[in-house]
Amino acid sequence: MTARKENSTYTLNEKFITDCDLTYAANKIGGRWKIIILDKLGKRKMRFNELKKEFPYISERMLTLQLRALEHDELVKRTVYAAVPPRVEYELTPIALEFLPIFCQLSAWGKKNKMLKNNRS
Amino acid sequence: MTARKENSTYTLNEKFITDCDLTYAANKIGGRWKIIILDKLGKRKMRFNELKKEFPYISERMLTLQLRALEHDELVKRTVYAAVPPRVEYELTPIALEFLPIFCQLSAWGKKNKMLKNNRS
DNA sequence: TGTGGTACAAACAAATTTGTAAGTAATGAC
DNA sequence: GTCATTACTTACAAATTTGTTTGTACCACA
């Protein structure tokens, strides 16, 4: 299972990080894609290929990995419809919905400070 | 320098990510350490070694890198006092202060959902 | 002369994250 | 019988992030 982690500082730091409420939460939505996937799914449930189109250059592998991780953390619910061709829908769970107002504020910060930065250049 | 990036998908995705207000903001506080460093500095200004003590296993290199990145993004202000031994203080900038309420909410989410998870095991 | 403290920097190495390319299964359209 | 479609999986490789170790400048103090 690739369980190669020992008691390295890397792992000790990881523990420290997930002990803290703030970084525990931050880790759930960290990485390049998770936050924006959750944000899209906050608007409506979507199929795999719909999501893929939202992110023009994402690889299928990345999308799958991120969705799996989010599913594992119970932030998205995956529903498979037995059909051909296959049809799978992703939607947010209740605990993921609680992130949405936070995303709004982050987005507002981003908008404001990106503007400020551009006006100085 | 190390400007080795081309027009790979990696870079295209990066552009896509920093175009979005939400992920632009998220990137500023992404990674293992930034968010928690900002959170600590939100309470009071601190010296390098004070910060180091807050994170028992962080390497000095990591702390330096993160502080430099935060300084570059104008989220922390670095003040050097010409003294021997050297004395450097770090504090949040106004735009970083605006993150603090968001951190509170994230932290609340973390606290709540970490509990839920533990109660199921 | 030697040690200690502060805030790093540089060279190197390990670990993780992200991306590439190809392939799969089932079925229905042509 | 070939091709297209959907939602992936697998093996591999590139890029980035994180950590280890050693070293530095400055001066005080013993």
Side-chain angles (χ1 to χ4, degrees):
Chain A
M1 326 257 178
T2 69
R4 334 223 157 88
K5 288 178 179 177
E6 344 78 64
N7 257 51
S8 61
T9 324
Y10 189 92
T11 309
L12 292 172
N13 278 328
E14 193 170 61
K15 270 177 204 145
F16 178 79
I17 289 287
T18 50
D19 274 353
C20 164
D21 292 334
L22 173 58
T23 43
Y24 172 86
N27 266 1
K28 297 290 180 190
I29 55 176
R32 184 168 255 190
W33 296 109
K34 283 183 192 168
I35 230 184
I36 198 171
I37 290 174
L38 291 175
D39 192 53
K40 296 290 179 193
L41 289 179
K43 296 184 175 56
R44 58 186 181 88
K45 60 170 70 166
M46 289 198 214
R47 300 180 59 181
F48 187 88
N49 274 336
E50 286 181 309
L51 275 169
K52 201 164 94 114
K53 274 170 208 142
E54 295 281 344
F55 316 119
Y57 305 111
I58 198 175
S59 63
E60 299 195 331
R61 171 184 153 78
M62 259 303 112
L63 187 51
T64 311
L65 282 176
Q66 301 307 307
L67 286 169
R68 290 279 186 275
L70 290 169
E71 196 192 351
H72 173 260
D73 284 337
E74 296 172 85
L75 294 174
V76 312
K77 180 165 162 252
R78 179 168 177 268
T79 312
V80 183
Y81 296 92
V84 166
R87 169 181 154 82
V88 181
E89 279 186 349
Y90 294 92
E91 65 190 303
L92 296 191
T93 62
I95 69 173
L97 287 171
E98 294 173 39
F99 272 123
L100 296 183
I102 300 181
F103 293 170
C104 267
Q105 291 173 260
L106 273 176
S107 196
W109 187 97
K111 186 174 183 179
K112 180 175 161 190
N113 292 100
K114 210 155 45 136
M115 260 181 35
L116 288 177
K117 196 141 242 175
N118 289 340
N119 288 349
R120 278 200 307 257
S121 60
Chain B
M1 315 297 175
T2 68
R4 333 226 158 84
K5 287 176 177 180
E6 343 78 65
N7 256 50
S8 60
T9 322
Y10 189 91
T11 309
L12 292 173
N13 278 327
E14 192 170 62
K15 270 176 203 142
F16 177 80
I17 289 288
T18 49
D19 275 353
C20 165
D21 292 334
L22 174 58
T23 43
Y24 172 86
N27 267 1
K28 296 291 181 189
I29 55 175
R32 184 169 255 191
W33 297 108
K34 283 183 190 166
I35 229 185
I36 198 170
I37 290 174
L38 292 175
D39 192 53
K40 296 290 179 192
L41 289 179
K43 297 185 175 58
R44 60 186 180 84
K45 60 170 68 163
M46 288 198 214
R47 302 179 59 181
F48 187 87
N49 274 335
E50 286 180 309
L51 275 170
K52 201 164 92 106
K53 275 170 207 142
E54 295 281 345
F55 316 119
Y57 305 111
I58 198 175
S59 64
E60 299 195 334
R61 171 183 153 78
M62 258 304 112
L63 187 51
T64 310
L65 282 177
Q66 301 308 306
L67 287 169
R68 289 280 185 273
L70 290 169
E71 197 192 349
H72 173 259
D73 284 337
E74 297 175 82
L75 294 174
V76 312
K77 181 166 161 249
R78 180 168 176 269
T79 313
V80 182
Y81 296 92
V84 165
R87 170 181 152 83
V88 182
E89 279 186 350
Y90 294 92
E91 66 191 302
L92 296 190
T93 62
I95 69 173
L97 286 172
E98 293 172 39
F99 272 123
L100 296 183
I102 300 180
F103 293 169
C104 268
Q105 290 173 262
L106 273 176
S107 196
W109 188 98
K111 185 173 183 180
K112 180 176 161 191
N113 290 100
K114 210 155 43 135
M115 259 180 34
L116 288 178
K117 197 141 241 175
N118 289 338
N119 289 349
R120 276 201 308 258
S121 59

